[in-house]
Amino acid sequence: MVIAMVTGSDNTIAACVQSAGAYGLVNTRIGLPVRLNREGVKEIVKLPLRDNELAALEEAARNIAARIGELG
């Protein structure tokens, strides 16, 4: 991650980010494919997902949000 940020490479890597609408997810933190630059997340990469994959991603996001909510 550090190398990608320093060099501004165009590589796609997985990182836990706060989604602002990518994959239909809002105000949640979850691992998504991203491109990084010196400022952090350059972009969240939109990959084609099948319906069952998108449903699993949404469920994971709900579970993570619930756990974060439990922590206060």
Side-chain angles (χ1 to χ4, degrees), residues 11-71:
N11 293 338
T12 300
I13 61 174
C16 186
V17 296
Q18 183 165 351
S19 178
Y23 297 94
L25 305 173
V26 180
N27 294 328
T28 189
R29 292 139 189 95
I30 192 160
L32 294 174
V34 298
R35 289 194 180 98
L36 303 174
N37 63 19
R38 292 179 189 265
E39 288 79 40
V41 177
K42 176 181 175 183
E43 71 175 309
I44 296 174
V45 178
K46 182 77 171 170
L47 300 176
L49 298 179
R50 289 177 262 171
D51 290 343
N52 64 326
E53 293 169 326
L54 185 56
L57 180 63
E58 291 167 347
E59 180 181 358
R62 282 192 301 274
N63 290 338
I64 291 168
R67 292 293 292 155
I68 290 171
E70 291 172 5
L71 297 172

